[in-house]
Amino acid sequence: MSNADLEARLRSYYGRYRPDDSTTVVLAARTHLDEIRSRPARGFWSARGIAAGLVVAVLAVVMAAGGLLVVLGGLPASQAGPSGAASASAPASAVAGTISKSQAAAALKDFVGHDIGSVTVEGPSPWGGGSAYEIMGTVPNPISGRVDAVTGKVVSLMLSVPETTTVNLTPGQAEAAASAFFKAHDIPVEGLTATVKLEDHGCCKLYSVEWVRVENGARTPDSRLAQVDPSNGTVFSFSIFSEPYGPVASPSIGRDQAITLATAAGGLTKPKLEAAELLIVSGSAYAGTGWSGRLVWSIQLSDDSKGYVSAVWVYVDGVTGETMIAGRG
Amino acid sequence: MLELVGAQPPEDDRVAESLLAGVPEAHRLAAWILRDSVCAEDAVQEALLRAWKVRQTIRLELGEPQRWFMRIVVNVCRDELRRRRRSVLAAEPASGVASSPADQSAADYTDLDRAIGRLKPDEQVVLGLRFGRDLTIPQIAAQTGLREGTVKSRLHYALEHVRAALEAERRAQEQKR
């Protein structure tokens, strides 16, 4: 049998296994991921010591007050008042100074401009420098978003990723679409630096447009991200992440020196530099590590000398030269 | 030097969104590698769990989470193929190839099923990516983390092994007649 014949038979054979539809798998995956995420994260809380005790105490107060931890069921327009007013059956605010779960759900509904079906509300949990509720809906497709627990503003939204590989927009048009979206929702991006990336995920392509505040050459934990359908310019996902940070000094460790230090710390056999970036370490993401708010060089190295590609991300303190393995892959 | 443990909520959200965006492609990959839709769905869920457990190794702004997730999917599929291959090798070859013209199409698939099932898991992976997902050699290399030369050789041996298995089966059928 010739190669061509064999390959033709193989293509025909494999053609039988093409999945018709991945919708149910996506829904199951979302549920699965939600379940995984809702499991107690012992390491997370144990690293926070007193904070864990405070959270437990707050939850105990909420439960004792009759507040529901999860709000289930539809949120018809007749129950949800305008501009985030609480419904008659809504639980009281979980903590003084925060909005209630139903107010948070109503805020998300107002933002998207239509009913979002069966609603689940969790939190509030840490987000940026504050906290936010996480809200999940079902209409017209799975939808999730975060609402700031104090201001009631929507800080992130995720609709279903459009399954398209058609790219009708240029990067500039994608940026304009994302910019118009933020402007329409009074989310300022002035003074931030935009980068646009066309991402190819096989099933679908999308534009990621991110605005980041850059100070003294360093990326700061103040960003806005929008994901745009490349076929028609619709924004289907966005998030606002903004944390307080101190003055950004100039690094005393240079880029080359940082790469040398990272290479020594990374432990790869034949390291190859993939990226080097100066940034301020996120306070919430690295709380408890002693690295929050530090000015660091983030160095990405790879190594393919063993057949497979290994990667390591190293943070090098921009002042002291101290190193930390931020991740391996 | 401090080893960081545990990504925190804001990072988690972005990881979760990125993983969910990759699920349809992960499903297709798994279906073509495993040649079983139910197993493919299980593989995607298992890959999600594995990905979530090691999510702190991703730096979204630097890494490529989708590629990283697909590699986990491929690894999960490889594990399943290893488990499956042990049972295939332990079993006797299925009897007989249909001889009537009407059954010929099904027979083609039956002998291919057996031939592919006997391949090493790594060879089954590259075959599925090449002839199912229709990826090029460089794309398979990127998807699996293998070198292009390794992909080429695995593909070459996989095709030779399939060809040999089909030929052996054909000769066995001729002797039966």
Side-chain angles (χ1 to χ4, degrees), chain A residues 71-76 105 109 114-120 136-141 143:
Chain A
V71 179
L72 292 171
L75 197 67
K109 187 178 150 191
H114 58 72
D115 184 31
I116 56 174
S118 183
V119 177
T120 303
M136 284 151 283
T138 56
V139 174
N141 291 303
I143 168 176

Side-chain angles (χ1 to χ4, degrees), chain A residues 88-114:
Chain A
S89 60
S93 292
V95 179
T98 66
I99 62 170
S100 69
K101 290 175 185 290
S102 56
Q103 284 175 316
L108 184 67
K109 187 178 150 191
D110 282 351
F111 189 93
V112 297
H114 58 72

Side-chain angles (χ1 to χ4, degrees), chain A residues 77 92-93 123 160 180 219 250 319:
Chain A
S93 292
S160 293
R219 173 194 178 95
S250 295
V319 178

Side-chain angles (χ1 to χ4, degrees), chain A residues 53-68:
Chain A
L54 284 173
V55 169
V56 171
V58 168
L59 289 179
V61 169
V62 173
M63 294 174 78
L68 299 175

